[in-house]
Amino acid sequence: MKISVIDMEVITVREFQDISEDTIFDVFYKKKKNSKDLALSLSKQIFKDLKEFIYLSANQEDTSEITKFFKIQMKRGKEVITPQNYVGVISISDKIQIEILPKIRLLQDDDKKLRKIFLRMLESTLNFENKHSLFNDANLQEENISIFEVLIAMYLEQANNLVKVGLKSDYISREDNLNFFKGKFLVNQHLKVNSFRKDRFYMSFDEFQKDRPENRLIKSTIHKLKKLTKSYNNERLANRLLSDFDDVSFSKNYFFDFSQVKLDRNMNGYRELLEWSKIFLNDKGVSTFSGNSKVTSLLFPMEKLFESYVAQQMAKLYKDKRVISQVGKGYLFDVPRLYQLRPDIYIKNRDFNSKDKEIILDTKWKLLKKLRSNNYGISQADMYQMYVYSQKYDVDDIYLLFPLEYDSPENDNGFVRKLQSIVDNKSVSIFLIDLEHIEDSLLELKKVMYSE
């Protein structure tokens, strides 16, 4: 589906790149050719809305929560807002979207290429059957296509697939005052309601209908996305889908309806939609979606995206291995069992007769620099953690995986160095993953891991 967008300005920044009134002013004055006074007024108001949104979104009982997503600080006498290691999009009224992309420096700096890399990473966290058609290059050709609109399109297309197959119905318990017997006669309620009505019967009965919690939540999500989208195609599809949900009411209590969700083998297509409904309807999810009438945001933690993307690609490329994410079979203390150890990725052999070694890998979303010190900025705590993994999982080889940038301290194939323990032959190796060419990079990593 082609995503055409109603005129809206998109400011693209990277993690840890400052946003100021000047950043917004440049858009409205230089790009939009507004008068200087109007551009100044718009930039002040939008910056104010963004700052208010950050404070309103913070946990009222813990103001440190503000710094989880953004820092608000003074630099060179001007107030700036600095996104932390969360990426995604912030929409401010109907005028502007701020798109936050991962801080990766490519060989050729290109926002569109970086946006595609980010969406591929995000794709690894999704289980939508049609996701490949939504994340293809054709949907991302236009400069003003934002991440937000791609995600809305993704949800609506999956909901459209669900409608084509058919919405599921269920027996819903109801009570009503009827003029005939149906189900169970409720004597007490009948006496209260029908003391002067001999032609009515207060009954409790089950009715097979589409108005079940799962459908109500999906309809409410579609309605919300229709109001938020700036894409003609997204809005048109949302309108058509809402007509397909005519027999379904809107959810009046998200929390209650989520608690009533029933997902069995007959509910194919619902599980992934409802996981994203949790996000879009401001329930708990893998990201934060919140806001007021002026500002909404959809933000994702880069650590989780990087870990998920690497694990997914490994599982696809290492067919002869079992690639297990977040395995949790070890504890720091055995008696009592405390502090479970969960390496990001654990690689085992599919063939029990294979003599290939088992390997633990941990992903770190941090850009290594060419430093004078031998540790490249890797923390001592990280190294302690890797050593504990090797001991508790009885694995000799641990790999720390960092993203590659083109001034990183790597050689041509991404391998940095191997740190070997003289005492027990345990090793921690450092490898940089090229996200622009991840398949080649991971195949090279496999050669490194199993070359000895």
Side-chain angles (χ1 to χ4, degrees), residues 344-382:
D344 292 340
I345 302 168
Y346 187 43
I347 299 182
K348 301 178 69 174
N349 299 306
R350 290 192 182 279
D351 182 0
F352 289 107
N353 296 319
S354 173
K355 294 182 180 179
D356 279 351
K357 55 196 174 185
E358 296 181 356
I359 294 174
I360 281 178
L361 304 101
D362 221 55
T363 56
K364 301 293 180 186
W365 184 251
K366 180 181 179 181
L367 300 178
L368 298 188
K369 301 295 183 181
K370 290 181 178 178
L371 302 176
R372 292 180 180 177
S373 61
N374 292 328
N375 62 13
Y376 301 113
I378 301 172
S379 74
Q380 191 167 322
D382 283 343

Side-chain angles (χ1 to χ4, degrees), residues 3 42 55 93 110 124 154 173 230 232 239 252 326 362 424 431 433 439:
I3 308 170
L42 287 169
Y55 282 109
S93 66
D110 185 338
S124 69
M154 173 198 69
S173 295
K230 300 303 175 186
Y232 289 115
N239 279 325
K252 296 178 181 177
Q326 288 288 322
D362 221 55
D424 52 14
F431 193 94
I433 302 295
E439 291 189 3

Side-chain angles (χ1 to χ4, degrees), residues 61-110:
E61 297 178 1
D62 182 9
T63 55
S64 66
E65 190 76 6
I66 299 170
T67 61
K68 186 176 180 180
F69 301 101
F70 303 94
K71 279 187 179 178
I72 301 175
Q73 54 193 329
M74 296 296 294
K75 287 190 177 180
R76 294 181 293 277
K78 291 188 176 181
E79 197 168 33
V80 298
I81 295 169
T82 310
Q84 300 304 290
N85 56 341
Y86 280 73
V87 293
V89 65
I90 307 166
S91 296
I92 305 173
S93 66
D94 59 349
K95 295 181 176 65
I96 200 163
Q97 286 183 352
I98 298 175
E99 187 178 61
I100 305 168
L101 297 179
K103 188 182 178 183
I104 309 169
R105 281 203 286 276
L106 306 176
L107 194 57
Q108 291 182 330
D109 196 21
D110 185 338

Side-chain angles (χ1 to χ4, degrees), residues 134-355:
L134 287 161
F135 285 91
N136 63 28
D137 291 349
N139 283 333
L140 304 172
Q141 290 304 312
E142 296 182 38
E143 292 287 346
N144 62 341
I145 298 298
S146 78
I147 295 164
F148 193 34
E149 295 299 340
V150 173
L151 294 177
I152 292 176
M154 173 198 69
Y155 187 93
L156 296 177
E157 278 296 305
Q158 185 69 4
N160 191 41
N161 286 349
L162 186 67
V163 167
K164 288 177 183 176
V165 174
L167 299 179
K168 300 295 182 183
S169 297
D170 197 7
Y171 283 102
I172 309 296
S173 295
R174 289 189 56 196
E175 293 182 8
D176 202 356
N177 204 24
L178 306 177
N179 58 4
F180 56 90
F181 261 65
K182 180 182 180 180
K184 181 180 179 182
F185 182 49
L186 301 179
V187 177
N188 291 336
Q189 289 89 330
H190 175 77
L191 293 175
K192 289 179 182 177
V193 175
N194 296 320
S195 56
F196 299 102
R197 295 290 303 269
K198 303 300 182 185
D199 60 330
R200 294 284 175 172
F201 309 94
Y202 202 92
M203 309 298 299
S204 170
F205 55 93
D206 290 337
E207 196 168 71
F208 197 62
Q209 57 179 268
K210 295 178 182 177
D211 194 14
R212 56 186 294 178
E214 298 84 357
N215 291 333
R216 289 198 294 270
L217 290 165
I218 292 171
K219 179 176 182 177
S220 297
T221 307
I222 294 168
H223 184 255
K224 183 169 187 176
L225 296 182
K226 175 200 164 187
K227 293 190 293 183
L228 293 172
T229 186
K230 300 303 175 186
S231 161
Y232 289 115
N233 292 338
N234 282 346
E235 185 176 5
R236 185 170 64 247
L237 179 54
N239 279 325
R240 184 166 63 76
L241 287 170
L242 287 173
S243 67
D244 292 323
F245 280 77
D246 269 347
D247 296 336
V248 179
S249 59
F250 289 105
S251 175
K252 296 178 181 177
N253 185 322
Y254 301 153
F255 180 82
F256 178 77
D257 277 347
F258 275 119
S259 72
Q260 299 300 304
V261 164
K262 293 184 291 186
L263 294 175
D264 54 34
R265 66 182 64 185
N266 297 317
M267 295 291 284
N268 291 337
Y270 274 87
R271 186 180 303 277
E272 295 85 5
L273 273 171
L274 289 169
E275 284 301 311
W276 277 84
S277 286
K278 285 184 179 181
I279 297 166
F280 289 130
L281 296 175
N282 201 20
D283 198 76
K284 293 181 179 179
V286 297
S287 65
T288 296
F289 183 93
S290 55
N292 49 38
S293 59
K294 294 182 179 179
V295 184
T296 55
S297 74
L298 188 58
L299 301 170
F300 300 85
M302 274 308 303
E303 295 96 335
K304 295 296 182 185
L305 291 185
F306 184 49
E307 174 195 326
S308 175
Y309 189 41
V310 170
Q312 181 215 50
Q313 293 296 311
M314 278 185 174
K316 185 172 72 173
L317 294 170
Y318 300 180
K319 296 295 186 183
D320 58 328
K321 308 293 180 187
R322 288 183 62 204
V323 179
I324 308 170
S325 299
Q326 288 288 322
V327 62
K329 69 175 187 180
Y331 288 81
L332 184 59
F333 298 105
D334 296 320
V335 182
R337 299 177 81 188
L338 292 173
Y339 304 109
Q340 190 172 34
L341 303 171
R342 286 186 173 274
D344 292 340
I345 302 168
Y346 187 43
I347 299 182
K348 301 178 69 174
N349 299 306
R350 290 192 182 279
D351 182 0
F352 289 107
N353 296 319
S354 173
K355 294 182 180 179

